[in-house]
Structures are given as structure tokens and as C-alpha cells.
Amino acid sequence: MSDTQIQPVIQVRNVSKTFGNVRRALIDVSVEIGAGEMVALIGASGSGKSTLIRHIAGLVVADKGGEGGEITVLGERVQSGGKLSRDVAHMRRRLGVIFQQFNLVPRLTVLTNVLAGRLGRMPKWRGTLMQFSHLEKQLAMQALSRVGIEFTARQRASTLSGGQQQRAAIARCLVQESEAILADEPIASLDPASARRVMEILSDINRSEGTAVLVSLHQVEYARRYCKRTIAMRDGRVVFDGPSHDLTTDFLREIYGEASEELILPDAEDFAEAHEQAEKRLIASA
Ligand SMILES: Nc1ncnc2c1ncn2[C@@H]1O[C@H](COP(=O)(O)OP(=O)(O)OP(=O)(O)O)[C@@H](O)[C@H]1O
């Protein structure tokens, strides 16, 4: 038995979700993410990726009844039988969540946005007054430096590029000392170079800290490149859960039909080449 089966960091059991009586966004979904794993969640638009991630984060409640319908994260119950756990706030403090649209406060400085990651770990009064200690500020600067944008610390978040904003959101997770990270299409609105940088940073956090990462992606190339394992969804169901390298173009066509085109980068070869060059540059500069 693997560690994944012994102690999952994320466990979703028989979760279904219906929006407005008809739209079944999740149908009996069960998945487990083990300690130290970095897993991609792929699927065409509307397949249920965001809905699943939002359920895991405790932002959406699953359908009532049926068997199971239970989600636990880091050993804490998030929801069960269509009811959120009372202690969900405690779990959220331990879980980092990254969204496609970054979720930074545009008018605040990058440093303050990153420091917001500490709010769950400090007394409420200090949080309300935004009184961060010297040590906390140092932590935030270290996190910004780790994601390569320490020079933006004093700028307003609104002045950053999309890629930089996403890196600031990751720095916020670092400062939060997230024990697991959910990333909901973190690269969907980024150019290819920024997308690769963000994926490299997530991958580095996964490898160095052993933080489990579940990342939803539109393009399978990124899943193959950065995640050993992929969970693929179609119409609210898990249709594949296994090694990312098994997701060949032919196999994708088999499970998605025409919708597979949406998941394959038209320039997949350029993608591979750009990667090789980036890796060579890294080795040369080391
Ligand atoms: N709040 C909501 N109200 C009604 N329907 C919803 C809601 N959220 C999601 N849905 C529906 O649930 C289904 C799954 O949506 P979801 O956003 O999870 O898909 P996705 O795979 O993340 O898609 P995308 O890649 O386009 O973000 C879709 O049919 C969507 O229209």
C-alpha cells in the first residue's frame, strides 16, 4: 500500500453537486491526493474542475444525502452529507488557495497582500489594524524573493503584470505556511513564459517543502511536464486518474473526442523546445 492510500492530504468521497436542480456539475467524484504529490486536474471547459476545487476548499457545499459526500483535508473534515464542518476556518488557515484571477487587493502594496497570508495566524486585533511584526515582514520579503519579485514589494498590486500577480499570490501561500495548495487554473490567463515560471515555482515548493499541490489546468502539456499524476474530468465525472505520461494525444481523443483539441496546445512541439532551452539556460547559469 502506498503512502497515498495510508494518509491522504486531500480525500474526496462520493461527492455530487447539482446546480439549480438540473446541472450536475459533479457526479459521484472520489479522489485522493497523497502527501508530497503534485497532481494535475484537467478537463475541458465546464467539466467540473473549479467546482471540485471549490468543494475541497470548503467554498461550496455538496449535494445532501446519498452515500458519503465527504471531504477531508489535512485530516480535518471540510464537509459531509451536504454540510460544512464547523471548524472549516481552521482547515482553511492550513490550506493555500490560488485562483486564476489572483485574488489580490489591487490598491494595497504587494508586501501587504503577501502579509495577508499571516492573518489566520495572528491575533484578530493585530490583523484588523494590519500591524505586522518585523519578523512577519521579513518572512514576506523572503517569500517575494523566492518567487523572484522582491523588487515589487512597495508597488500597488494593481501595477503588476498577470504573471507577477500570480507569483505574489504564491508568496502569500508561502507566508501562510500552507500545508497543501489548491491552484484553480493559475496559468489560464498568463502568457506561456509566465505560465512556465508559475508552474516551476509551484513545482519547486512541492519538491522542496513536500507540500501537496492540486492544480487545475486547461492544457495537458503542462500536466505532463510538471505533474507525475493527472486526474481528468469530463461532464462532472473522473474519467482518468493515473500517470500523466499515459495521456497521449490519442488517448485524450479517446476520452474527450472533439473536446480534446481544447486540451492540447497547438504548438506542443514549440512548448517542449522552449522548455529544453530554458532548462539549458538554467544549467548554464548554475
Ligand atoms: N454557481 C454556479 N451556478 C450554476 N452552475 C454552475 C455554477 N458553477 C459552475 N456551474 C456549472 O457547473 C459546470 C462545471 O463548471 P466548472 O466551473 O466547475 O467547470 P471547469 O471545468 O472549471 O470549467 P472552466 O475550465 O471553463 O473553468 C458547468 O456546467 C458550469 O456552468
Side-chain angles (χ1 to χ4, degrees):
M1 194 182 260
S2 71
D3 282 348
T4 308
Q5 285 158 314
I6 295 165
Q7 212 180 30
V9 171
I10 296 171
Q11 187 167 44
V12 177
R13 263 201 246 145
N14 308 107
V15 165
S16 296
K17 178 68 181 177
T18 314
F19 286 110
N21 293 335
V22 273
R23 168 66 63 194
R24 299 198 72 195
L26 296 178
I27 304 168
D28 201 22
V29 170
S30 295
V31 291
E32 287 187 359
I33 311 299
E37 278 198 288
M38 175 148 166
V39 179
L41 183 62
I42 66 153
S45 191
S47 57
K49 305 180 297 293
S50 295
T51 305
L52 177 59
I53 287 188
R54 294 172 71 79
H55 274 75
I56 297 170
L59 300 170
V60 182
V61 188
D63 290 348
K64 289 192 180 76
E67 286 178 18
E70 183 169 278
I71 299 177
T72 56
V73 172
L74 297 160
E76 296 191 48
R77 182 176 292 164
V78 177
Q79 54 176 288
S80 171
K83 263 190 163 176
L84 267 192
S85 155
R86 274 195 201 162
D87 297 332
V88 75
H90 186 264
M91 180 285 294
R92 286 209 194 105
R93 283 200 280 277
R94 303 171 64 199
L95 179 72
V97 187
I98 295 165
F99 298 94
Q100 181 181 345
Q101 291 310 329
F102 326 122
N103 281 27
L104 302 178
V105 183
R107 66 187 166 76
L108 295 180
T109 65
V110 173
L111 186 68
T112 309
N113 269 284
V114 172
L115 281 163
R118 288 312 283 182
L119 290 176
R121 291 180 181 266
M122 54 199 268
K124 237 185 185 156
W125 69 267
R126 264 212 302 129
T128 314
L129 297 173
M130 294 276 212
Q131 285 195 353
F132 299 104
S133 68
H134 180 64
L135 193 67
E136 283 161 341
K137 287 180 192 163
Q138 264 185 337
L139 264 179
M141 283 307 295
Q142 278 164 13
L144 280 170
S145 152
R146 170 122 182 234
V147 300
I149 53 162
E150 65 281 16
F151 56 92
T152 67
R154 304 279 163 208
Q155 286 175 228
R156 281 181 178 219
S158 56
T159 64
L160 264 53
S161 70
Q164 289 172 330
Q165 289 195 51
Q166 199 56 291
R167 281 147 77 178
I170 298 175
R172 189 177 53 195
C173 285
L174 286 169
V175 160
Q176 186 190 338
E177 294 177 52
S178 306
E179 294 168 63
I181 294 179
L182 295 178
D184 190 7
E185 304 207 18
I187 58 170
S189 47
L190 305 184
D191 62 84
S194 304
R196 284 195 294 272
R197 186 81 180 97
V198 163
M199 289 304 291
E200 272 154 22
I201 293 168
L202 285 175
S203 170
D204 175 60
I205 293 170
N206 166 258
R207 274 183 278 119
S208 323
E209 271 91 348
T211 310
V213 178
L214 177 63
V215 52
S216 73
L217 299 165
H218 248 109
Q219 269 104 21
V220 76
E221 273 73 20
Y222 290 99
R224 285 197 206 112
R225 174 69 58 172
Y226 295 101
C227 306
K228 280 194 189 130
R229 179 181 155 207
T230 294
I231 296 168
M233 297 188 69
R234 187 186 62 198
D235 300 333
R237 292 181 199 272
V238 172
V239 289
F240 171 87
D241 183 351
S244 304
H245 58 71
D246 283 356
L247 287 168
T248 58
T249 304
D250 284 347
F251 186 56
L252 284 170
R253 289 209 174 104
E254 201 180 305
I255 52 179
Y256 288 112
E258 274 182 18
S260 66
E261 306 306 325
E262 205 186 304
L263 306 170
I264 302 163
L265 285 176
D267 57 349
E269 280 177 18
D270 297 350
F271 179 91
E273 200 185 310
H275 256 286
E276 265 168 41
Q277 283 173 1
E279 268 162 22
K280 275 184 198 154
R281 276 200 301 276
L282 260 179
I283 293 165
S285 66

